Amino acid sequence: MHCLSIKQALDVSVVDAPAIGVLVSGVVKVSLGSPGEEGSVLAFHYPGEMIDLTAYREGDAGIRLTAVLPVRLCVLSAGHFASGGGRLIEGYQRLLTHFAGGLVHQLAEARMRQGQSAEQRLAAALLDITRRLAATTQDVDSVVLPMSRRDLADYLGMAQETISRQFRRLESLGCIEPRGRRIMLCDRSRLEALAYKRC
């Protein structure tokens, strides 16, 4: 196992395939587009999560991994598992099977969001980010957005003006209280009701 410190973009081609990355700290943005372009945001990975680097390497050449916050990523390659014997190789293969289709799943999620209202998408995203970061922050009542509102808007398929309007709406409903990048969840049950209501 070796660890990488990443402050900007990760060139997945330098990672020996097959490999799995364990995100120790920071936030990784997955986007589609050529270097130098903004590209569309497909997903975010948070501390404690595993990233299937093999899928990103063997998938669409336009997929980029970028550190939103400085990242520490530990890479587990097949070679490390092979040196540990059959059981470790089996475990590694199970991990790869678990990750198979990860990119397809992210694209499917993006399509699903298109059928939701802007209010639903933002409410669900705030709940999801809080849940995924809770393991590292121990805070379930607020979230510090690790991405810009522009990236969040792109990820949710909205214009920046729309997401700003939706933040104001959720605030007026008493669901959230924005304090810069920190968002206080004032009424989680109402936020959940808005996020998961039928269109």
Side-chain angles (χ1 to χ4, degrees):
M1 174 175 21
H2 64 283
C3 293
L4 305 171
S5 293
I6 307 154
K7 292 186 178 175
Q8 292 179 339
L10 168 62
D11 179 3
V12 183
S13 67
V14 304
V15 176
D16 292 333
I20 291 169
V22 180
L23 189 55
V24 178
S25 61
V27 175
V28 170
K29 174 175 71 174
V30 183
S31 54
L32 187 62
S34 305
E37 292 179 358
E38 280 299 320
S40 56
V41 180
L42 298 177
F44 293 96
H45 291 293
Y46 300 92
E49 294 184 1
M50 290 186 176
I51 304 173
D52 182 1
L53 298 173
T54 305
Y56 289 129
R57 178 175 177 159
E58 294 175 356
D60 192 310
I63 289 176
R64 297 197 316 275
L65 303 183
T66 309
V68 176
L69 299 174
V71 160
R72 186 152 176 78
L73 184 74
C74 289
V75 179
L76 307 168
S77 69
H80 296 110
F81 284 78
S83 64
R87 284 192 176 179
L88 283 179
I89 293 173
E90 255 180 58
Y92 188 82
Q93 287 171 337
R94 279 199 297 272
L95 279 173
L96 287 181
T97 301
H98 172 73
F99 284 122
L103 294 180
V104 174
H105 176 69
Q106 286 162 10
L107 292 171
E109 279 188 336
R111 282 195 294 273
M112 183 190 73
R113 286 194 299 270
Q114 290 173 354
Q116 296 177 323
S117 70
E119 180 181 86
Q120 281 180 296
R121 281 179 270 174
L122 180 57
L126 292 175
L127 291 167
D128 181 54
I129 294 167
T130 306
R131 177 184 58 79
R132 290 166 72 183
L133 288 175
T136 55
T137 65
Q138 305 299 315
D139 186 357
V140 295
D141 296 320
S142 71
V143 60
V144 177
L145 292 178
M147 71 288 290
S148 67
R149 286 200 183 184
R150 178 178 182 170
D151 277 347
L152 183 59
D154 184 45
Y155 172 60
L156 297 176
M158 301 184 209
Q160 277 186 267
E161 298 78 13
T162 304
I163 204 164
S164 295
R165 255 195 325 273
Q166 292 307 317
F167 268 107
R168 288 193 298 272
R169 174 162 169 70
L170 291 179
E171 184 178 13
S172 72
L173 291 172
C175 296
I176 63 170
E177 183 185 325
R179 298 178 183 173
R181 276 205 174 188
R182 180 172 291 279
I183 309 295
M184 307 300 297
L185 305 188
C186 304
D187 190 339
R188 177 180 287 274
S189 59
R190 187 164 190 189
L191 198 60
E192 287 172 347
L194 289 171
Y196 306 119
K197 70 181 180 183
R198 292 181 181 273
C199 295

